[in-house]
């Protein structure tokens, strides 16, 4: 099993009465609540933590994209990834994941091809590219993309980026949404024909099929943990069977909050306040923003795949109002927390049930201070990571992971062709 140390980079100082006084942490969050001096400190603390994860030998460090959002302060994850790439390039074990760039938002999308090619070169061929369709909050309400056009724009942008990465010739693009006389992306990607691609999503039939048919890895990103994830990963593997694909667990990953301490009791003492901050404030989202009309496709609706935010999982203040405390959050799988032994046993059980090879570990939760973030990273690296790495010895991760050329481009990659 491979572990991605992943950071949402939340704003940690929302007002104590935020969820009572304001409508939403996403889309309409007041700009006046943002203090640039605190933001300055957050960014550097979060980057320091991710660089620590590189030092500790995690399989990857990861960042992602959100807009007008109080729990995700990265409208441009590529900026953060460019900083991290200088550390990753010296690592023998750690790759760099951007999960990712929402393709439908970029005009023209070759900007994504260019910047991700830069990251692939900067990191020494250790880059994984993520292409989410994007949430309705980001794509429809903040960036103004018509939901009925979104997937069409996404597919066209994907086709354009892939052709820009794989073609050695200058070409003309005359699409429905993009018209370019000369497409000639410099730099080329370090990995040939292109970096591994992961598709993060919340669960839709189209996204399953798109990932499987292109042999991309699907990543289920949610904040509701491994028990809820069964609703999404079960249909994903059913589609894999239907399409004749193997069940390589590295075809899939899922996101999980995990908090490690010396004992189970100490984990509650250390982390409860910060976990509750996340679910009370960072999941305080106005329901009118969950999904714009037309966002969810007919095929997904027929398959019974609904938004995780529309009542199929408890979110926001409702969790705490309905009596969800630490015990309930752990028992319901929203978080995995406890001693290293407790945590690794639960991770292994969850990974086997979901049949996933990629653990996208949300190592920072809500208002967690830096010293606890680093404690979490160190205890996981020492007491959990060595025990989960060989969970899937019969499967090869190489089709979905980079190998890189490090600082010495004369050394060939073990699994992927590197230019």
């Amino acid at each position: 099993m491979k572990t991605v140390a992943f950071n949402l980079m939340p704003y940690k100082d929302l007002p104590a009465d935020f969820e009572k006084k304001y409508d939403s942490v996403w889309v309409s969050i007041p700009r006046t609540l943002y203090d640039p001096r605190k933001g300055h400190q957050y960014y550097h603390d979060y980057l320091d933590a991710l660089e620590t994860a590189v030092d500790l030998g995690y399989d990857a460090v990861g960042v992602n994209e959100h807009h007008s959002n109080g729990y995700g302060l990265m409208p441009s994850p590529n900026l953060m990834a460019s900083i991290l790439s200088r550390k990753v390039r010296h690592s023998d074990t750690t790759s760099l994941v951007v999960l990712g760039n929402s393709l439908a938002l970029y005009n023209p999308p070759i900007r994504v091809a260019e910047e991700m090619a830069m990251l692939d070169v900067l990191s020494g061929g250790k880059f994984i590219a993520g292409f989410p369709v994007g949430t309705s909050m980001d794509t429809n309400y903040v960036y103004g993309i018509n939901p009925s056009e979104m997937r069409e724009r996404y597919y066209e942008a994907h086709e354009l980026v892939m052709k820009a990465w794989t073609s050695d010739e200058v070409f003309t693009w005359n699409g429905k949404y993009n018209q370019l006389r000369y497409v000639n992306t410099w730099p080329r990607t370090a990995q040939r024909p292109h970096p591994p691609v992961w598709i993060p999503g919340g669960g839709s039939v189209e996204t399953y099929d798109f990932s499987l048919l292109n042999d991309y890895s699907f990543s289920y990103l949610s904040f509701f943990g491994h028990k809820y994830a069964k609703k999404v990963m079960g249909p994903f593997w059913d589609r894999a069977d239907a399409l004749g694909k193997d069940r390589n667990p590295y075809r899939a990953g899922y996101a999980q909050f995990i908090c490690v301490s010396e004992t189970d009791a100490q984990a509650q003492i250390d982390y409860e306040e910060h976990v509750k901050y996340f679910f009370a404030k960072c999941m305080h989202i106005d329901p009118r923003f969950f999904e714009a009309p037309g966002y969810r496709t007919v095929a997904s609706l027929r398959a019974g795949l609904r938004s995780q935010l529309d009542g199929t999982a408890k979110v926001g203040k409702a969790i705490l109002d309905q009596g969800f405390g630490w015990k309930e959050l752990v028992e319901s799988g929203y978080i995995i927390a406890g001693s290293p032994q407790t945590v690794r046993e639960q991770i292994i059980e969850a990974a086997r049930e979901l049949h996933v090879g990629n653990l996208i570990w949300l190592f920072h939760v809500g208002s967690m201070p830096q010293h606890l973030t680093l404690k979490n990273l160190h205890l996981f690296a020492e007491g959990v990571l060595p025990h989960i790495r060989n969970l899937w010895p019969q499967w090869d991760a190489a089709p979905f992971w980079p190998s890189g050329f490090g600082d010495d481009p004369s050394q060939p990659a073990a699994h992927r062709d590197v230019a």
Side-chain angles (χ1 to χ4, degrees), residues 38-304:
K38 290 180 178 177
H40 170 83
Q41 188 62 50
Y42 297 158
Y43 278 142
H44 288 285
D45 283 350
Y46 292 147
L47 286 167
D48 285 346
L50 287 164
E51 290 187 345
T52 298
V54 178
D55 290 335
L56 292 171
Y58 286 92
D59 298 293
V61 289
V63 292
N64 73 341
E65 174 180 348
H66 283 306
H67 301 274
S68 304
N69 186 319
Y71 80 70
L73 301 178
M74 282 183 288
S76 179
N78 297 355
L79 290 179
M80 293 302 182
S82 68
I83 297 168
L84 294 168
S85 68
R86 290 180 53 79
K87 184 84 172 180
V88 167
R89 68 181 171 138
H90 295 304
S91 172
D92 294 329
T93 57
T94 307
S95 299
L96 176 63
V97 184
V98 173
L99 271 182
N101 286 179
S102 301
L103 288 175
L105 304 186
Y106 289 81
N107 184 16
I110 55 169
R111 185 73 180 183
V112 175
E114 292 172 333
E115 292 189 1
M116 288 191 165
M118 291 175 66
L119 291 169
D120 197 31
V121 172
L122 279 166
S123 66
K126 298 173 185 173
F127 179 67
I128 296 171
F131 295 147
V133 174
T135 68
S136 193
M137 289 76 86
D138 285 333
T139 57
N140 306 139
Y141 289 105
V142 177
Y143 264 54
I145 300 296
N146 185 327
S148 66
E149 295 178 353
M150 198 171 68
R151 283 193 179 267
E152 198 173 50
R153 286 179 178 273
Y154 174 86
Y155 293 138
E156 181 180 318
H158 166 263
E159 186 178 350
L160 174 54
V161 168
M162 282 299 157
K163 188 169 182 178
W165 276 351
T166 56
S167 176
D168 288 332
E169 306 294 333
V170 179
F171 63 90
T172 298
W173 185 265
N174 190 23
K176 181 176 180 179
Y177 299 102
N178 303 276
Q179 295 81 40
L180 299 165
R181 176 64 184 87
Y182 299 101
V183 180
N184 185 21
T185 302
W186 276 65
R188 296 172 66 195
T189 56
Q191 298 173 82
R192 306 297 292 173
H194 57 76
V197 174
W198 291 10
I199 307 296
S204 71
V205 174
E206 290 82 1
T207 303
Y208 296 157
D209 288 2
F210 183 75
S211 303
L212 290 161
L213 292 171
N214 285 288
D215 285 322
Y216 299 156
S217 183
F218 171 73
S219 299
Y220 176 52
L221 298 188
S222 89
F223 307 121
F224 309 113
H226 58 96
K227 293 187 178 179
Y228 184 84
K230 293 178 186 176
K231 297 179 181 178
V232 172
M233 296 313 303
F236 172 80
W237 290 115
D238 290 343
R239 289 301 300 164
D241 295 340
L243 295 172
K245 296 294 183 179
D246 63 42
R247 284 195 165 225
N248 187 333
Y250 295 101
R251 284 191 182 279
Y254 91 107
Q256 177 73 59
F257 283 119
I258 301 174
C259 300
V260 192
S261 196
E262 290 82 1
T263 65
D264 293 358
Q266 187 62 41
Q268 181 175 1
I269 295 170
D270 286 343
Y271 301 113
E272 181 175 15
E273 172 189 353
H274 312 295
V275 169
K276 285 184 174 178
Y277 175 99
F278 180 83
F279 284 105
K281 302 183 190 305
C282 300
M283 285 285 93
H284 176 60
I285 303 170
D286 192 322
R288 65 188 159 129
F289 299 135
F290 286 171
E291 283 192 352
Y295 174 83
R296 189 158 295 268
T297 64
V298 172
S300 293
L301 290 171
R302 285 176 175 163

